[in-house]
Amino acid sequence: MLRRALPLGVGRGLLGRGLGTHRGGSTLGKVEGSGGYRGSWVAPVSSYVTFRTRDPAHDGKTVGRLGEGDQNGKVSEIKKKIQSVLPGGAWNPPYDTSYLPPEHSDVVIVGGGVIGLSVAYWLKRLEKPRGAVRVLVVERDHTEYLAVVDDPPLDIQFNPSGYLLLASEKGAAVMESNVKMQRQEGAKVCLMSPEQLRNKFPWINTEGVALASYGMECEGWFDPWCLLQGLRRKVQSMGVLFCHGEVTRFVSSSSHTETTSGEEVTLKRIHEVHVKIDRSLEYQPVECALVINAAGAWSGRIAELAGVGKGPPGTLQGTKLPVERRKRYVYLWHCPQGPGLETPFVVDASGAYFRREGLGNNYLGGCSPTEEEEPDPGNLEVDHDFFQDKVWPPLAQRVPAFETLKVRSAWAGYYDYNTFDQNGVVGPHPLVVNMYFATGFSGHGLQQAPAVGRAVAEMVLDGHFQTINLSPFHFSRFYLGEKVQEHNII
Amino acid sequence: MLKIILPTMMLMPLTWMSKPNMIWINTTTYSLLISLISLSFLNQLNDNCMNLSLLFFTDSLSAPLLALTTWLLPLMLMASQLHLSKEPLTRKKLYITMLISLQLFLIMTFTATELIMFYILFEATLVPTLIIITRWGNQTERLNAGMYFLFYTLVGSLPLLVALLFIQNNMGTLNFLMLQLLTQPMLNSWSNTLLWLACIMAFMVKMPLYGLHLWLPKAHVEAPIAGSMVLAAVLLKLGGYGMMRITMMLNPLTNSMAYPFMILSLWGMIMTSSICLRQTDLKSLIAYSSVSHMALVIMAILIQTPWSYMGATALMIAHGLTSSMLFCLANSNYERTHSRTMILARGLQVLLPLMAAWWLLASLTNLALPPTINLIGELFVVMASFSWSNITIIMTGTNIIITALYSLYMLTTTQRGKYTHHVKNIKPSFTRENALMALHLIPLLLLSLNPKIILGPIY
């Protein structure tokens, strides 16, 4: 509404944005770009979601064809020019400070990956009065996460081909109980015997397979890059601030208290986050009320900065966050005689997995190495011998067509591997009172991101979990030694 | 008058020459003593004013405001101790010097006889306030807030200068006491209309009137605690005080010219109260509630009946103390959680019970609970406006309801409910903070026992 007043030259209207309500917009040299609340309701990411982002310049209409897109760019450019010429804009300091994070933010989310963005999204979505909470997402400037030019409606390219999990004799009972639990929650999963498997998927060699579970509806894979971009844009339109920088320091204060049983504990409170700008020595202290550690593979380091784990081992103070980065490889190969288009995501009993990629007989897969053969996480170089020795044989045994294949490419990435029980850590730290964790998902972060984001947002805004109770994933289980094990993990 | 001005001026060498660990103690104690001196002025003997010298006078209108101003300085100093503790010594002393110079200008403004002197000091109060907001505020938005604050007030008051000089030329004097005797009725003409507007607009911006209030939420939110306190408690009352003095000269034109401002005030009361219901930032909520209360004062002054003048004066004093106390409470929250968002710091009653008691009392006085002077002020104004026009009761009544709504909303959001996990280890209340709240509340409650000292010259 205020932006429509712009061509009329109403000077004060420009500045009256928000009328005192403190929104996420900083006035550090930025022109009004990240708009107000458009309130576009997006269904939670479950099975098939189309992200529709609203271009602020377009004011409510979805951007369609390319021609219109050009016009939008021109319109916003003209608006920016008019705004810079008219008097009474926001204070422009003599030097450009748009790359700096704001001096104050209510919530600082360390890590701008899918978990961090999901937490930001749910915080903005669930806050009762709109615009209540100021959120800042700090992300190190990785080339993968650089924002791309605006695109029309987002399609995360969901392939609903389902997951096929194969179990040997040993794992059959576990698989049955898992499927029963999944059915109770409403998932449409079926159990298949080896004959049924052979009937449905003739390319499978069912030797050694006792049972298989196949998801029939709303199960499959999607493009995580698209999801990330869509989340990023949506969250920016909701008023969350982004900054490319690295968290180097937490300024905190401690207080000593006694528990009810009489032992002394030191409670810490983080007051400020020092964000160092990339490729420079400059840092900006961001005053904050709470910090959310969603730094993925590097969350162990962030936790150490906050003082988690500094104490005699065996005490709660000395319990570190057991999340470290582990390198995993993914290989892409071409197999002309390979399984057809209805190939699901196949997970073999041995731990190797593959799925169809695209329509040209390309397949993507890999395998989790055992503890002894963990690759060195210092770099992201791919080890092709690992494919020859560990991935190919079980896959070739399961799918005879894979005996002839040609590896097209491969890449490596980091899991935020929880060395304790390979499951996520969600919730506040008992001693560092205003740090919340949302990390350690060991490769499952993408699929658990929406739920975890909502849970953390509920924890922050309401003080307890409401939709799903994630209290088994609390940090204190590391101290108490209670593992939350999951069966059949990849 | 010199017995107040000279000690206040000498507070400045006191800060600069005190030992580093004694600056706060010295300044707070001496400013408390000065405020005790100013209490002697409250003993007004008759209807006429107390002429202290050629330059200064007090009457029953300016004496309570003077007492409020001098009472506030020690409170401001007490409130600022924590957030300045990390600053280097020179900057601390500079901050205190700013507060003291602001205090000086305010004392002289409230007691000025000559209207030009009033104007000069009125403008002079802007400078220390601007310095406090822009230098010691918390966010980057403070620069914007400072500019807004400065230019709104300057632009509003420049016509006042022209008008005052014109009146000086015509009447030969701008001595307030003489003007009371020399005024002629201001009849309806274009030039008189412009003169009327020129005289009033400065104070309308300062109060602030609803359409000109954009500077206030920004300035209040971005200012440090002492800045917020003095802004809310005293600087807004400068507008009210000035309007009450100057409207003496502007009759009978006021009867017709007042209509648009009355309407703006009535509408603005309801609007700003409703905005309070949607606020998420605690300081912003209190700032908007200030606008709402001051709209009542504007209405009262424009109606110009004895009851409304009494109500306006009482409301100014009451709001000064209440608003300042609410800002101190909000600041105690902010210093602990580093966030002004209300929903992030909830359920504090369990963690800080005594502070919850202060919160309760402050919220109750804000919603004009009987028998506090807040109620007396509001009730007098509402009755006067009802007799001026019956329909206004609908709007003032709605405003009272919404005021109660947002005061209780603020109370229940910050104090009641389950506390969030991340406020578990906040520091307990300091004695200094409790003393601060008590010193705000005790005058407020004592005045409800003897409200006639603040009911102004008409009583």
Side-chain angles (χ1 to χ4, degrees), chain B residues 221-254:
Chain B
V221 167
E222 304 303 331
I225 178 61
S228 291
M229 283 168 77
V230 76
L231 263 173
V234 187
L235 286 173
L236 264 47
K237 315 320 183 245
L238 266 184
Y241 172 77
M243 257 209 309
M244 283 174 117
R245 292 290 189 218
I246 215 126
T247 45
M248 174 255 340
M249 298 191 299
L250 299 174
N251 276 322
L253 191 52
T254 315

Side-chain angles (χ1 to χ4, degrees), chain B residues 425-438:
Chain B
N425 71 335
I426 49 178
K427 297 195 171 67
S429 308
F430 299 117
T431 312
R432 172 184 60 87
E433 290 174 343
N434 286 328
L436 192 59
M437 308 308 163

Side-chain angles (χ1 to χ4, degrees), chain A residues 346-357:
Chain A
V346 180
V347 181
D348 189 37
S350 59
Y353 62 89
F354 78 94
R355 69 163 170 88
R356 172 181 60 81
E357 168 70 22

Side-chain angles (χ1 to χ4, degrees), chain A residues 12 15 19-22 25-28 90-91 103-104 106 129-134 253 255 267-269 271 287-290 428-429 433-434 436 460-463, chain B residues 138-144 147-148 152 211 214 217-218 222 278-281 284 288 334 336-341 343-344 346 409 420-427:
Chain A
R12 257 186 238 152
L15 300 158
L19 277 183
T21 323
H22 206 113
S26 150
T27 53
L28 277 175
W91 169 265
E103 289 177 10
H104 177 95
D106 288 329
R130 286 221 296 224
V133 184
R134 281 172 296 183
S253 69
S255 58
L267 293 177
K268 259 189 150 174
R269 186 174 190 87
H271 293 300
E287 203 183 2
C288 62
L290 45 105
H429 188 272
V433 175
N434 57 351
Y436 289 80
V460 168
L461 293 172
D462 298 324
Chain B
N138 279 321
Q139 265 90 280
T140 7
E141 285 86 356
R142 69 183 187 270
L143 306 166
N144 207 3
M147 291 297 121
Y148 257 70
Y152 259 78
L214 281 180
K218 288 187 172 33
E222 304 303 331
R278 292 281 299 169
Q279 283 299 325
T280 54
D281 183 340
S284 196
Y288 273 108
Y334 177 73
R336 285 175 172 77
T337 54
H338 286 275
S339 162
R340 293 197 300 265
T341 312
I343 54 172
L344 282 185
R346 307 192 299 272
Y409 164 65
T420 47
H421 181 271
H422 46 265
V423 295
K424 271 193 198 146
N425 71 335
I426 49 178
K427 297 195 171 67

